[in-house]
Amino acid sequence: MKTTKLPLIAASIAFVAAFSNKSFAQENPVTFGIKGGASLSSFGGDLKDTKSAVRYRLGLTTDIALTNNLFVFTGLDFQTKGAKYASKGGSEAKYNPIYAQIPLSIGYKVDLAPNTKFVVHAGGYAAYGIAGKIKNDPNNDKRSVFGKDGFKRLDYGLLGGVGVEFGKIAVSAGYEYGLANINNAGPKISNRNPYLTIGYKF
């Protein structure tokens, strides 16, 4: 009788040990936060004579714990992208599309010191254009950046970054590499966005 109970006892001990190792998930499996920052936005693709432009972003963050160190990062960002264009003939244009964007990445957190963690993550994003203008100089002519003669609203691509968490404060730097051709007519254009953000986790 005692012999037949040994496998059951061993299985019970293994289950309790595994459950204990994952107990963190019940304590704080999901963390929400806010973030804001800036990017040095530019265009990739076939459009020449473009220059980078400073753009801004604001968002909500969600960290989902898979293990003590492995996380899924997502949320909702509102950000401006775009660039400046200056033709050889002297005309200039400023592109200022505004997107609602959902990032999704896998990240790893490493303890550097008490209440200090190094974070690295990689994944992708999907974005939808919600507003924005093209401003043409010198006539100061403005029109919507989205439409059949402008940009497509859908954007998607890859992203990656590194950061440091100081308790509830998170500082992050990263890069978004657009894969979509966002231009409806003319040369291929895709978004490029190195960025820097600071956030707070609740």
Side-chain angles (χ1 to χ4, degrees):
M1 179 67 71
K2 292 182 179 181
T3 302
T4 58
K5 288 184 178 181
L6 286 177
L8 180 60
I9 295 173
S12 300
I13 293 173
F15 175 79
V16 171
F19 183 81
S20 298
N21 288 334
K22 294 184 179 181
S23 62
F24 74 92
Q26 291 186 349
E27 296 173 1
N28 197 18
V30 181
T31 303
F32 298 100
I34 57 174
K35 67 179 179 181
S39 61
L40 192 61
S41 182
S42 64
F43 289 147
D46 300 327
L47 183 64
K48 306 302 181 182
D49 302 316
T50 61
K51 297 180 180 179
S52 301
V54 176
R55 297 292 185 259
Y56 301 97
R57 58 181 61 207
L58 182 67
L60 306 174
T61 64
T62 304
D63 297 4
I64 304 171
L66 301 180
T67 69
N68 284 317
N69 301 100
L70 190 64
F71 288 76
V72 172
F73 298 131
T74 186
L76 177 62
D77 297 341
F78 295 94
Q79 59 175 281
T80 53
K81 301 184 182 183
K84 299 176 182 179
Y85 170 76
S87 71
K88 294 180 180 179
S91 63
E92 295 184 356
K94 298 177 181 178
Y95 296 82
N96 297 284
I98 303 173
Y99 292 89
Q101 179 167 299
I102 298 177
L104 182 64
S105 61
I106 295 292
Y108 196 81
K109 298 184 180 184
V110 180
D111 290 325
L112 298 179
N115 293 320
T116 304
K117 296 181 179 181
F118 174 77
V119 183
V120 60
H121 69 95
Y125 72 86
Y128 187 80
I130 56 176
K133 298 287 185 181
I134 300 175
K135 179 181 178 182
N136 294 302
D137 293 331
N139 298 325
N140 199 29
D141 177 42
K142 295 181 181 180
R143 61 183 175 88
S144 175
V145 72
F146 297 107
K148 65 179 182 178
D149 295 324
F151 288 171
K152 304 171 186 177
R153 292 187 180 271
L154 181 63
D155 182 31
Y156 56 87
L158 304 176
L159 61 82
V162 296
V164 180
E165 295 182 358
F166 305 96
K168 293 182 177 294
I169 303 298
V171 179
S172 180
Y175 192 87
E176 296 169 352
Y177 185 93
L179 297 176
N181 176 16
I182 60 173
N183 199 16
N184 269 318
K188 178 181 178 181
I189 297 175
S190 53
N191 284 310
R192 302 285 189 268
N193 292 289
Y195 65 85
L196 179 66
T197 63
I198 184 169
Y200 182 85
K201 299 182 182 297
F202 300 107

